[in-house]
Amino acid sequence: MPRPRYVFGEAWSIARTSPRQTAAAITLIALALYVPGLLALVSHNLSRLAAEETEDPASVVLTLDPQTDARAIATRLQADHRIQLVRIVSSDAALARFRRAYPDLGAALSDLKEAPFPPSIEVVLKPGAARTVSREIAAGARVWPGIESAESEEEFSRRFRDAIHLVRDAGLFLGAVLTLAAVLSVASAVRLALDLHREEVGIMRLMGATESAIRAPFWLYATSEGLVGGGLALGLLYATYRFAAHWLSRDPHPVLAVLWVGFLALPTQLLLPAAGAAAGLIGSLLSLGRRETRRATRLA
Amino acid sequence: MIQLFGVSKRYGTFRDALADISFRVEPGEFVFLTGPSGAGKSTLLRLLFMEETPTAGQIIVNGRNIGVLPQGQIPYLRRTMGVVFQDFKLIARKTIFENIAFVQNVLGLARVEQKRRAYQVLKRVGLHHLMNAYPDELSGGEQQRVAIARAIVNEPTLLLADEPTGNLDPVLAEEIMRLFVEINIRGTTVVVATHDLEMIRRTGKRTLILERGRLHDPDRVRESAPLVREAPFLPLH
């Protein structure tokens, strides 16, 4: 096995001999991971909203016009024998609930002149009620006066989950495409570095250096590139988050604020540099095939 | 030390770089490999240091059949060899010391041992005072001496040189050849490919002649040997 000091020294030497390519590869990796990171951050915050549980999960939610008599609607609903509980959620109660879910946004919403959330009524069905009941109740309530919208929570949850999945999938897709580009960029940076060091590598091989001793510095170089690129992406993402949070605290927006309420959890944060390192390693493995390396570094 | 049995090397379908080569080099021997350009001298050396594989035949180096040697074993056999090229192949951005030390680095030698060996070997070729110079600051002869120092720093049992004096004037060429003789006297088997017949005549060592990929009749080589041996030995210092 090659000595760590030798591997680190040579990897550093490789980075120094092709600084432009190194910088380009790091930038590309950073961008490749920043975009899916951003979408992961958005979907993370949306998921928090989806995961927010109330005492009894509502099956139907009726959004009311502010002038509507909520009690009259609630009484009408209670007449339905399939309903167990009807809960009136005023604008203030909705805001209070939002603040409980997103304590970080408390300051952002405190300066609002108008209540950001309309009053609503949540309907809890009796246990064992058929799945179609919530949709029937929502469909019936939609035509009542004073009802802005009536959504079966099942439908709403599905749409909401779909939206989160869409964001997540878009992140994964973009991430995959951009990471592939980053991998190829690392591969070409490594290939160029190999070309710049071809004599050295050829001499090392003739002097009896093993393949792992020859390649280890290139592997380390590419993995470090990826690690730095991933770290840079994380830094950029955090800077974006801080900027958005700061901007929203000055100019609050109830919907946008939801997307920037919290930063990624630590394991997800660590995923970015790890993914970068993996992309770097894969790129170097692609460009340092046994046959290709031998051909590229043939001396005589 | 080296045995070749019916070795051929073919590039493409028609071009035989080497055809049915057989010879033997004893341990501690000094052998010249000569012939016109394109005769196959470099190809033969490349086969010996395993940069190429033969199309047919067997090559035994240090008692090992290199044709059946697993890839993973090649580096370990190469550590018993040193190789010198016509164009020196020194790394311009490394100092003379680093040019020699970096090949030991990969073998896992301690830093102190690397320094000791590099200094000793540079002293042997008379360049220890230029350890911190860069290759560009050295003359052609000095650069070739550094290349030789690098080739022998791991104390190889076999030293292969491909036209080592090809880029040098006659005085420097003689200096370099003297170094090879010295190295050989210390017990290292030396194989030098050259087309400098004058040098061969003056050194008076056994010579293998290649022409169009074929080895000249060994009897003819033997016949010419007394003439060659009559040539005066180069002074060692």
Side-chain angles (χ1 to χ4, degrees):
Chain A
M1 276 299 288
R3 292 155 65 89
R5 187 179 164 157
Y6 155 76
V7 176
F8 277 94
E10 285 302 305
W12 176 238
S13 151
I14 293 165
R16 276 189 313 168
T17 47
S18 49
R20 276 189 196 170
Q21 284 68 29
T22 304
I26 288 175
T27 308
L28 202 60
I29 290 174
L31 283 176
L33 293 172
Y34 172 75
V35 175
L38 202 61
L39 293 172
L41 179 60
V42 169
S43 88
H44 165 74
N45 283 314
L46 286 174
S47 301
R48 271 175 67 160
L49 197 64
E52 176 62 15
E53 294 259 332
T54 51
E55 320 80 74
D56 290 307
S59 300
V60 181
V61 175
L62 310 182
T63 308
L64 310 178
D65 287 334
Q67 295 80 20
T68 306
D69 182 359
R71 285 189 182 281
I73 302 282
T75 310
R76 195 170 169 185
L77 282 165
Q78 271 164 343
D80 192 324
H81 66 279
R82 298 168 297 181
I83 293 174
Q84 185 183 29
L85 177 73
V86 175
R87 205 162 40 221
I88 298 172
V89 182
S90 66
S91 293
D92 291 342
L95 182 60
R97 187 188 278 177
F98 182 83
R99 281 189 175 134
R100 270 201 310 278
Y102 297 100
D104 331 34
L105 284 175
L109 296 177
S110 60
D111 298 334
L112 291 177
K113 286 174 191 145
E114 289 175 17
F117 302 106
S120 61
I121 290 178
E122 294 176 350
V123 177
V124 180
L125 297 179
K126 282 183 177 162
R131 280 186 163 197
T132 51
V133 171
S134 61
R135 261 179 279 163
E136 285 168 19
I137 292 173
R142 255 176 225 132
V143 293
W144 296 354
I147 304 291
E148 207 168 71
S149 69
E151 294 284 350
S152 149
E153 197 62 354
E154 192 187 304
E155 243 171 73
F156 176 77
S157 297
R158 183 176 49 76
R159 273 193 230 152
F160 195 64
R161 274 197 309 272
D162 286 351
I164 294 171
H165 285 154
L166 188 71
V167 172
R168 226 174 254 168
D169 292 349
L172 283 174
F173 175 74
L174 275 174
V177 171
L178 292 170
T179 305
L180 184 68
V183 164
L184 294 176
S185 163
V186 172
S188 68
V190 170
R191 170 67 63 192
L192 189 83
L194 180 68
D195 195 50
L196 289 171
H197 289 75
R198 60 184 290 274
E199 288 227 318
E200 231 164 303
V201 171
I203 293 163
M204 281 161 68
R205 182 169 284 127
L206 283 184
M207 298 303 287
T210 55
E211 287 302 314
S212 59
I214 289 168
R215 288 173 201 195
F218 290 94
W219 288 333
L220 180 65
Y221 161 69
T223 308
S224 307
E225 256 181 6
L227 196 66
V228 173
L232 196 62
L234 184 61
L236 275 174
L237 199 59
Y238 188 70
T240 309
Y241 160 72
R242 293 297 302 173
F243 174 77
H246 176 70
W247 181 70
L248 285 167
S249 72
R250 289 171 55 188
D251 188 8
H253 188 289
V255 178
L256 283 182
V258 170
L259 306 178
W260 299 100
V261 74
F263 197 57
L264 296 171
L266 187 64
T268 319
Q269 287 179 39
L270 294 177
L271 259 180
L272 285 178
L281 185 61
I282 292 168
S284 67
L285 290 174
L286 280 179
S287 61
L288 290 176
R290 196 172 279 264
R291 195 170 293 172
E292 288 80 4
T293 317
R294 196 164 292 138
R295 198 179 298 136
T297 59
R298 181 160 289 178
L299 268 182
Chain B
M1 175 59 65
I2 301 171
Q3 287 172 278
L4 274 79
F5 302 101
V7 171
S8 297
K9 178 67 186 177
R10 175 170 283 192
Y11 293 109
T13 321
F14 301 109
R15 200 189 143 226
D16 275 328
L18 292 172
D20 196 26
I21 304 285
S22 298
F23 67 83
R24 187 187 174 100
V25 176
E26 299 298 333
E29 208 178 347
F30 191 123
V31 175
F32 279 113
L33 197 57
T34 192
S37 297
K41 302 187 292 293
S42 297
T43 304
L44 185 51
L45 288 187
R46 277 205 296 269
L47 291 177
L48 291 177
F49 61 73
M50 289 161 283
E51 187 75 1
E52 305 262 8
T53 49
T55 313
Q58 307 287 321
I59 301 176
I60 294 169
V61 176
N62 276 338
R64 303 192 72 171
N65 185 341
I66 63 176
V68 295
L69 202 63
Q71 283 287 331
Q73 287 299 308
I74 289 176
Y76 300 98
L77 188 62
R78 277 182 175 159
R79 288 177 194 183
T80 66
M81 300 180 187
V83 187
V84 177
F85 296 97
Q86 179 175 357
D87 58 352
F88 325 131
K89 298 206 187 295
L90 299 178
I91 298 152
R93 60 188 177 79
K94 287 188 191 279
T95 64
I96 299 310
F97 169 75
E98 288 166 346
N99 262 284
I100 292 170
F102 94 97
V103 291
Q104 304 170 75
N105 230 332
V106 292
L107 306 185
L109 285 178
R111 190 93 178 138
V112 179
E113 180 62 11
Q114 285 176 30
K115 278 188 178 169
R116 192 186 66 78
R117 282 200 193 184
Y119 181 79
Q120 275 186 349
V121 84
L122 280 171
K123 198 172 176 187
R124 213 165 134 188
V125 298
L127 290 177
H128 53 293
H129 59 290
L130 291 174
M131 274 175 75
N132 296 318
Y134 284 87
D136 292 349
E137 298 164 29
L138 272 56
S139 69
E142 286 171 334
Q143 288 190 48
Q144 192 59 296
R145 274 149 70 190
V146 174
I148 293 171
R150 186 182 61 196
I152 60 172
V153 71
N154 292 329
E155 294 167 1
T157 53
L158 173 62
L159 182 63
L160 304 171
D162 191 3
E163 300 282 2
T165 58
N167 280 354
L168 306 176
D169 64 43
V171 177
L172 289 176
E174 202 167 300
E175 212 177 87
I176 294 301
M177 204 48 70
R178 198 181 300 143
L179 261 176
F180 282 123
V181 172
E182 263 184 40
I183 291 163
N184 175 241
I185 285 171
R186 289 180 182 228
T188 304
T189 308
V190 178
V191 177
V192 177
T194 180
H195 55 246
D196 187 346
L197 295 174
E198 182 59 30
M199 177 72 69
I200 295 171
R201 198 168 294 124
R202 275 187 286 130
T203 312
K205 299 291 186 185
R206 183 182 159 211
T207 305
L208 299 169
I209 303 167
L210 277 170
E211 207 173 297
R212 290 182 188 165
R214 289 185 179 276
L215 197 60
H216 261 225
D217 187 348
D219 291 337
R220 275 184 58 192
V221 176
R222 216 172 286 133
E223 279 165 21
S224 65
L227 277 175
V228 169
R229 291 216 172 91
E230 278 169 23
F233 232 84
L234 281 170
L236 292 179
H237 44 78

